[in-house]
Amino acid sequence: MTSYQAIGIGNAVVDVICRSDDAFLERMEIEKGVMQLVDAARAEALYEAMDNRVQLAGGSVANTIAGMGALGLGTGFLGRVHDDALGRAYADDLTRVGTDFINAPVAQGELPTSRCMIFVSPDGERSMNTYLGISTELGPDDVPEDAVTGADLLLLEGYLFDKPKGKAALAAAAETCRRTGGIAGISLSDPFCVDRHRGDFRTLVRGLDYVIGNEHEWASLYQTEDLDSALAEAAAKTGLVVCTRSGAGVIIQRGDRRIDVPVQRIAPVDTTGAGDQFAAGFLYGLTTGATLDVAGRMGCIAAAEVISHYGARPEKDVKALFAAEGLI
C-alpha cells in the first residue's frame, strides 16, 4: 500500500452548501450560526429545501487532508461512507482533488452516508445541520495498519471519540504511525466534543506529537477561562500546541517557547472551512520542514483564502500565495 506524506482519519461527511437569508432560516427553524445534529427525516427535508446547492466531500479532517493534497503532498483519507449515491460521490470527489479515499463504500451499511447542510447567510455566518449517519460507525476494521504505516503525518478527528470503536481505531492508528517514524496529532473538533470526552482527551494528548484547537476548545479541555494557563498545561504534556482565535492571532507553543502569529483581518464571505484550511496550511509547513512561525503564517494564509469565497476548499493556488509572501 502507498506510504503517504499525510493521512487523516475522520467523519466522512458530504458538505451541502447553499446561500440562505435570515427569513429562510426562520421559516425552516434553523438556528443561525450554530451546528445542530438532525435525524434522517429532518436531513432529507432540509436537503430538499436547498436551492442552488453545492456538494463536496467534507468533514473537518477530510477538508484539511484535501487542502494538503492540493498543496502537492501525497495524501490519503480513511472514513466510512455507505454505498449509496452520496457515498460514491464522496469517494469520487475526494479522489478527483488528489487525495486517496482508502476505504471502499460499505455495501451492507445500515445507515446512509453522513451529510452536513450548511446555510450561508449574507453576513458570511454559517448555520450547520448535520446528520451523522454511517461515518460515526468507523472502527478498527476501517483503519488497515498498512495504510498508516510509514506515513509522515497522521491527523485524527476528535468527533470520532463519540463511540468506543472510533476511539480504539484512533489510538491504534496513532501508535502505528509513531512507531513507524511519523508524527500523530488531533484536531479537538469543538468545545462540546471536548466536554463529552475531557478525560480521554487529556490522556490522549500525552501520547501525541501535536494538538490543534481553538481558544474555546482549549479552555474547555482544562476547564479554565485563562487561555495562557490552559496552553501552558497542554504544552507540558504534548509535543506541540496550536490555538486559533477567530481572527485575533494564532498561538503556537512548544514547551516554554511561545510564538504569536498575527493575522490580517478580512470580512468573510463564508467562514466554512476556516479552521480546516488553517490546519492544512500549518501541517503542510510542519510536514515540509518549515519553521513554526512560517508554518503558522501558512495556516493563516490558507484560512484567509477559504473565507474569501463560498465553500470549504481553496479556489486559488495556495502554494502560489505562500511563494508570493516569500514563505517557500
Side-chain angles (χ1 to χ4, degrees):
M1 184 169 282
T2 302
S3 288
Y4 294 99
Q5 289 174 283
I7 190 166
I9 306 174
N11 281 326
V13 182
V14 178
D15 284 338
V16 188
I17 305 170
C18 75
R19 304 183 188 188
S20 305
D21 59 22
D22 289 350
F24 175 87
L25 298 181
E26 184 175 351
R27 185 169 69 253
M28 297 300 296
E29 299 181 340
I30 297 168
E31 188 172 351
K32 184 175 180 178
V34 301
M35 192 282 282
Q36 294 179 297
L37 297 179
V38 298
D39 61 18
R42 173 71 167 162
E44 287 298 326
L46 291 175
Y47 182 81
E48 291 301 323
M50 300 176 84
D51 290 331
N52 301 311
R53 59 184 179 240
V54 176
Q55 296 180 180
L56 293 169
S60 176
V61 164
N63 285 337
T64 294
I65 294 296
M68 296 175 76
L71 285 164
L73 298 185
T75 54
F77 178 71
L78 290 159
R80 190 173 174 89
V81 299
H82 186 73
D83 190 12
D84 53 19
L86 277 179
R88 292 187 292 273
Y90 187 100
D92 290 345
D93 181 53
L94 209 58
T95 302
R96 178 180 56 79
V97 297
T99 290
D100 289 346
F101 185 68
I102 297 167
N103 306 91
V106 181
Q108 303 301 320
E110 67 282 4
L111 295 171
T113 295
S114 309
R115 75 287 309 262
C116 179
M117 281 68 68
I118 304 172
F119 301 90
V120 182
S121 306
D123 60 3
E125 189 63 79
R126 56 183 176 158
S127 307
M128 299 185 292
N129 287 252
T130 302
Y131 170 63
L132 292 176
I134 197 173
S135 67
T136 60
E137 296 300 313
L138 181 140
D141 290 345
D142 299 300
V143 184
E145 184 173 303
D146 57 356
V148 180
T149 298
D152 293 336
L153 180 141
L154 172 67
L155 175 62
L156 310 174
E157 185 169 306
Y159 284 127
L160 286 174
F161 263 62
D162 279 331
K163 293 197 175 181
K165 57 186 177 181
K167 189 186 309 180
L170 297 191
E175 191 279 328
T176 297
C177 179
R178 300 183 83 208
R179 175 170 48 81
T180 58
I183 63 172
I186 194 168
S187 166
L188 293 176
S189 293
D190 79 33
F192 302 108
C193 182
V194 174
D195 286 342
R196 293 192 296 272
H197 306 292
R198 184 174 292 109
D200 287 330
F201 279 150
R202 285 185 179 181
T203 298
L204 180 69
V205 299
R206 297 190 186 103
L208 293 177
D209 300 291
Y210 66 91
V211 182
I212 300 175
N214 64 35
E215 57 190 319
H216 306 296
E217 292 155 3
W218 284 115
S220 174
L221 184 61
Y222 292 104
Q223 295 178 286
T224 178
E225 294 302 313
D226 185 343
L227 180 61
D228 289 345
S229 69
L231 298 181
E233 186 168 354
K237 295 180 172 64
T238 196
L240 181 64
V241 170
V242 183
C243 176
T244 59
R245 296 184 293 164
S246 298
V250 175
I251 300 170
I252 302 170
Q253 192 155 340
R254 173 175 279 163
D256 294 332
R257 183 189 176 208
R258 169 171 164 157
I259 298 169
D260 287 275
V261 182
V263 300
Q264 182 177 354
R265 295 184 67 92
I266 63 172
V269 173
D270 173 15
T271 57
T272 305
D276 304 339
Q277 293 309 318
F278 168 83
F282 176 78
L283 294 176
Y284 170 83
L286 201 63
T287 303
T288 56
T291 60
L292 291 178
D293 60 326
V294 167
R297 289 174 63 195
M298 288 177 169
C300 293
I301 289 169
E305 192 284 333
V306 83
I307 67 173
S308 69
H309 55 77
Y310 287 94
R313 300 264 187 83
E315 292 184 349
K316 295 180 181 177
D317 182 344
V318 177
K319 199 169 182 179
L321 299 179
F322 295 166
E325 294 293 323
L327 303 182
I328 56 175

